[in-house]
Amino acid sequence: MDRRRATVYLIILISLLAGLITGRPFFFSVAYAFTALLIFSLLWAWSGVNWLRLTRQTRARRAQVGRHLEEFFSVRNRSFLPKLWLEIYDQSDLPGHRASHVVSNLLGHQETSWGVRTLCVRRGDFTLGPLRVVAGDPFGLFHAERKISATSRLVVYPPTFDLFDFALPTGPLPGGDAVRRRTHYITTNASGVRDYVPGDSFNRIHWRSTARKNRLIVKEFELDPLADVWIMLDAERTVHAGEYDPLDVEANRALWEDKTRVGIPPTTEEYAVAIAASLARYFLLKDRSVGFFAQGQRREMIQVDRGPRQLTKILETLALIKARGTVPLEQLLILEGDQLGRGATLVVVTPSTREGWVTAAHRLSRRGMRLIAVLVDPEGFGGRAGIRQVAMRLGMINIPVYIIGKNDNPQIALSHPRI
């Protein structure tokens, strides 16, 4: 394009010089014609990126690894001049998101649209946009750019797997004040009745009391006598192993397109995150109260709760967490374990082969807390050996142990404890 424009400048200059030397009007006419061509091309290129309406629609601001993100784009020409070609560049940082597009021959007051379907291969927080629109003139002399700076945030959750039969914790019947804890969930334990207030669900109405009192009466419920479940993710930097290139989109896509392989990047960090997410989903679907804590870039703690909102909180935390922690697992068990109530269940997800944390786990077990260990074997990822010795020590103190190796199917491995 620069070479073409330089050629036109050279023609104009030569024509002017020839006109001045010879005095013939033909050379001046050539110079005027090419000057008019430059002005026309410049205005055409400028109009190509103006009088446009570009719309971007994303179906959801939340996605999940292994699933597709769908976006729809539309461009409308708001002028009577045709747009010969438009190059629309998407500057999103979502890996493999090929939303850039070329629109050709968009006539006046017409609209065109297209869709993009992207397989999410990496968890995290990403930005969709901005967009850059490039247009030119019919002669290829000028091009104009326009940047649309609007962006939106996309959170990609880690993958989850349907578990068949994980060790379901039980809890003793609570007594004293614990029985009188009210809950907005409908449980099998009705504690009393009260007057209806706007916002109460109709399935909470106690019809016999309503008929007797001649006004709406609803039931109140107490928490089920089941143990709270806490999931602890070991995010210490030194215990994790495995490497992969998060920017290698083709290799990451192959993990999910190959049905014979486990679609998790080959690192203990990604395996541990996927396992923690699957366990949280499993217990919440069983209507259990679930909490979460980890020590990654910072301390993460989500108090126990139930329902889909709790799952969303945990998945968003797991989407952003990185194995950059400096607190060892044994220290984390001592600091955080003392805050958990007696009778609670603690599920520890770790690739740590240090046997020191087993002592801390035994201490919590003797206090009346039930522990379950999910061990990601780092040896298959190029890390340290010794996870079997840790599992044997945990088995000696009656702590159920699940061992997950590289390329193991989590649905099968988490359905039956190894020890």
Side-chain angles (χ1 to χ4, degrees):
M1 184 174 292
D2 293 337
R3 187 176 300 176
R4 292 178 185 176
R5 197 161 55 245
T7 302
V8 174
Y9 292 150
L10 183 60
I11 292 175
I12 294 175
L13 179 61
I14 293 175
S15 299
L16 288 176
L17 290 176
L20 292 173
I21 294 173
T22 62
R24 298 182 61 180
F26 169 76
F27 293 106
F28 291 105
S29 299
V30 172
Y32 297 153
F34 277 94
T35 302
L37 176 64
L38 286 176
I39 297 174
F40 172 80
S41 299
L42 178 61
L43 293 177
W44 188 287
W46 177 83
S47 66
V49 295
N50 289 279
W51 298 302
L52 280 176
R53 186 180 68 184
L54 179 58
T55 304
R56 180 177 199 161
Q57 294 181 343
T58 307
R59 283 194 169 181
R61 294 290 186 268
R62 300 291 184 270
Q64 191 172 27
V65 172
R67 299 184 180 181
H68 288 85
L69 170 72
E70 293 185 352
E71 281 197 304
F72 298 94
F73 298 81
S74 64
V75 177
R76 181 173 181 81
N77 184 0
R78 302 176 65 181
S79 70
F80 65 91
L81 294 176
K83 314 290 185 184
L84 297 182
W85 56 269
L86 295 172
E87 296 177 3
I88 300 174
Y89 295 96
D90 176 52
Q91 298 176 331
S92 303
D93 58 2
L94 178 66
H97 191 51
R98 299 186 177 96
S100 301
H101 192 73
V102 176
V103 178
S104 60
N105 197 24
L106 184 61
L107 301 179
H109 301 290
Q110 283 193 350
E111 183 175 354
T112 184
S113 60
W114 68 96
V116 178
R117 195 166 184 260
T118 303
L119 178 65
C120 297
V121 297
R122 179 183 166 195
R123 64 182 175 91
D125 188 3
F126 303 98
T127 302
L128 298 179
L131 295 172
R132 185 166 60 93
V133 182
V134 179
D137 63 280
F139 305 99
L141 298 177
F142 294 94
H143 77 272
E145 293 187 6
R146 178 183 175 188
K147 187 175 182 180
I148 301 176
S149 58
T151 60
S152 59
R153 178 173 177 258
L154 174 71
V155 178
V156 179
Y157 295 153
T160 56
F161 301 92
D162 295 326
L163 304 183
F164 302 127
D165 188 24
F166 192 80
L168 196 63
T170 57
L173 286 171
D177 294 337
V179 175
R180 300 183 178 88
R181 287 186 297 169
R182 297 293 188 264
T183 176
H184 60 278
Y185 295 102
I186 297 178
T187 69
T188 58
N189 303 319
S191 62
V193 294
R194 60 171 173 79
D195 288 335
Y196 173 87
V197 295
D200 285 336
S201 176
F202 286 109
N203 59 358
R204 298 176 65 124
I205 296 177
H206 190 260
W207 295 106
R208 292 185 178 179
S209 299
T210 298
R212 186 171 59 253
K213 298 288 187 178
N214 199 26
R215 65 178 187 273
L216 288 177
I217 303 295
V218 296
K219 294 176 285 186
E220 282 194 313
F221 298 90
E222 293 176 347
L223 290 174
D224 292 333
L226 297 175
D228 294 337
V229 179
W230 286 88
I231 299 175
M232 176 183 287
L233 176 65
D234 185 5
E236 186 191 356
R237 181 190 298 112
T238 59
V239 301
H240 285 274
E243 294 181 357
Y244 86 105
D245 185 3
L247 301 179
D248 190 348
V249 179
E250 297 301 327
N252 294 329
R253 183 182 290 110
L255 291 174
W256 291 97
E257 293 178 347
D258 187 357
K259 302 301 181 182
T260 63
R261 302 173 61 187
V262 179
I264 307 177
T267 67
T268 56
E269 176 186 346
E270 297 301 326
Y271 269 70
V273 168
I275 290 169
S278 301
L279 291 174
R281 180 174 179 268
Y282 173 79
F283 287 122
L284 288 170
L285 288 178
K286 296 289 185 181
D287 200 25
R288 307 301 294 267
S289 296
V290 179
F292 173 83
F293 48 76
Q295 185 74 41
Q297 309 97 305
R298 58 183 181 274
R299 181 176 181 268
E300 304 284 356
M301 185 171 186
I302 303 176
Q303 293 292 339
V304 291
D305 202 353
R306 306 186 186 193
R309 292 184 60 185
Q310 180 71 352
L311 179 60
T312 300
K313 293 179 184 178
I314 295 177
L315 290 179
E316 286 191 355
T317 301
L318 289 172
L320 305 178
I321 197 168
K322 298 294 181 183
R324 299 174 183 170
T326 57
V327 180
L329 178 59
E330 50 267 31
Q331 186 176 347
L332 191 63
L333 286 170
I334 295 173
L335 294 176
E336 304 291 356
D338 292 338
Q339 302 182 26
L340 306 182
R342 182 181 178 88
T345 297
L346 178 62
V347 182
V348 181
V349 183
T350 178
S352 177
T353 57
R354 294 195 298 262
E355 299 185 10
W357 71 268
V358 179
T359 303
H362 189 204
R363 175 174 171 270
L364 293 178
S365 179
R366 294 180 61 182
R367 283 183 46 214
M369 186 179 300
R370 185 181 181 190
L371 277 85
I372 302 174
V374 180
L375 307 180
V376 182
D377 190 358
E379 186 175 4
F381 300 87
R384 300 177 182 176
I387 203 71
R388 303 289 172 177
Q389 289 76 6
V390 174
M392 290 181 60
R393 287 199 58 188
L394 290 169
M396 293 174 61
I397 56 178
N398 298 321
I399 294 180
V401 178
Y402 296 81
I403 301 178
I404 311 296
K406 186 179 180 181
N407 294 328
D408 283 350
N409 188 335
Q411 293 177 311
I412 299 175
L414 293 176
S415 296
H416 304 286
R418 299 288 181 90
I419 295 179

